[in-house]
Amino acid sequence: MALHLLEDWCKGMTIDPKNCLLVTGVSEEFDEGSIEPILRTSTKYLSECKMRGRMFVREEGAFAVLCELPSAVDPLQVPSTITVEDVVWRVIATGSQPSPAPASNVEFLKKMSAFLGKEGKTLADMPGLLGLDPGVPHLEPAPSPDEWVKALGKALEKVVPPHPESSPYRKLRLFSGGPTPIPGEEAFEPWLEHTTEMLQEWAVPDAEKRRRLVECLRGPALDVIRTVKLSNPGVKVKDCLEALDHAFGRTEGLEDVYCKFLNARQQKGEKVSAYIQRLEKLLQRAIMRGAVAVEQMDRTRLAQIVRGIQYQNPILLHLRLRERQDNPPSYSQLIKEVREEEERQAAGEVWEEEVTILIANETSQS
């Protein structure tokens, strides 16, 4: 799609696409006057590029920029991405990079053998990994290089798990904190709740979480994180959320937040799972305010659940929550166990009701 956009844009402006680049993922805080200098200083090869236009791409929620070079673009000289303040700009050019000179067959086989050995495989396993039957001679012509690349890629997918940072992920919701909300922007509290949950789920390094957080920020909210990074370039994502909470959240003191958490009790008719989910929101606010240490999060959560659940609740007894306080489960494990127990109890109640009705019908007929 990006390549088609590049070609169509050049055609509309009567520019040779071979001399042009398309830069995508540019957020709105970068105005037209700042984009070209950033590109020119990013690498020597782009020092003479000229920005020819900027267009908002709705699907990406960001701008695409068309740039022209004095001569035909050499794909080998163009970086595939440019990182600007934790935001990654993608650079697309027409044509493909020429393949590097192949290593000798012997050296290639040595590297392949060493790689397969780490994965518990040998070269003898390659026909099976490539979907071939080693016991059957093949009379067809030898596969083309492209076919070998595709087959080898499928084989590598089976033995090499994808790196979490390169895997697709659902982008966070946008937030600006400005006086005029951007289209689709929600209030800070629900945005913070959703963002905190997503960041906890992602099994990626903290720096990657921070990059994804910055990616969704605009306007004053982005300015807050920029200011924090000036004093601490390696700031943790937890501290970024805390800074945003101080700037845009409710003005509650540490003691107030912690008291709300401690006073939260299961309400009459409220499911245990609903109570835990409600309690978790209060716990996350207490953590961001510094009232609860992250290291004590699971222990603090379970202790309050034991205090807050209605006395002699069967789930409290069946899951032995009181006895597990020295080795508390994580939130995801706890909520999973509770919901499964709720479903089991609900099924048992339905069964008892059906049996009661059946007995009553038999009694009335006799």
Side-chain angles (χ1 to χ4, degrees), residues 83-87 210-211 214 222-236 240:
T83 302
V84 184
E85 298 181 358
D86 281 340
V87 178
R210 187 182 65 226
R211 187 192 70 77
V214 172
L222 182 60
D223 293 337
V224 170
I225 303 305
R226 283 174 173 169
T227 303
V228 172
K229 288 183 64 181
L230 286 176
S231 57
N232 182 10
V235 61
K236 299 290 186 181
C240 292

Side-chain angles (χ1 to χ4, degrees), residues 112-216:
M112 179 60 73
S113 179
F115 168 76
L116 292 173
K118 293 179 181 178
E119 302 297 332
K121 305 290 182 181
T122 66
L123 289 173
D125 297 316
M126 284 302 296
L129 293 172
L130 294 174
L132 305 175
D133 186 350
V136 179
H138 294 275
L139 302 178
E140 294 85 357
S144 67
D146 287 343
E147 291 172 336
W148 273 108
V149 168
K150 292 179 181 178
L152 185 57
K154 292 180 180 179
L156 293 177
E157 288 177 359
K158 297 179 181 179
V159 297
V160 182
H163 194 282
E165 294 185 39
S166 62
S167 303
Y169 64 93
R170 186 157 56 97
K171 291 188 176 182
L172 297 171
R173 299 169 184 169
L174 297 179
F175 179 74
S176 70
T180 304
I182 60 178
E185 181 179 354
E186 57 186 350
F188 177 73
E189 299 299 335
W191 174 86
L192 180 63
E193 177 185 336
H194 171 265
T195 300
T196 302
E197 291 177 357
M198 293 293 293
L199 291 172
Q200 287 179 339
E201 291 177 4
W202 285 332
V204 296
D206 197 81
E208 174 64 13
K209 291 184 179 181
R210 187 182 65 226
R211 187 192 70 77
R212 296 181 185 183
L213 173 64
V214 172
E215 185 180 56
C216 78

Side-chain angles (χ1 to χ4, degrees), residues 212-259:
R212 296 181 185 183
L213 173 64
V214 172
E215 185 180 56
C216 78
L217 299 178
R218 303 288 187 271
L222 182 60
D223 293 337
V224 170
I225 303 305
R226 283 174 173 169
T227 303
V228 172
K229 288 183 64 181
L230 286 176
S231 57
N232 182 10
V235 61
K236 299 290 186 181
V237 70
K238 179 183 76 71
D239 297 325
C240 292
L241 291 176
E242 184 176 344
L244 291 170
D245 187 37
H246 286 312
F248 304 104
R250 294 192 296 265
T251 56
E252 296 175 305
L254 181 149
E255 295 80 5
D256 294 335
V257 173
Y258 193 48
C259 283

Side-chain angles (χ1 to χ4, degrees), residues 323-338:
E323 292 79 1
R324 298 167 67 183
Q325 292 186 69
D326 290 336
N327 186 25
S330 65
Y331 172 75
S332 58
Q333 180 62 30
L334 177 63
I335 197 70
K336 175 177 178 292
E337 293 180 15
V338 169

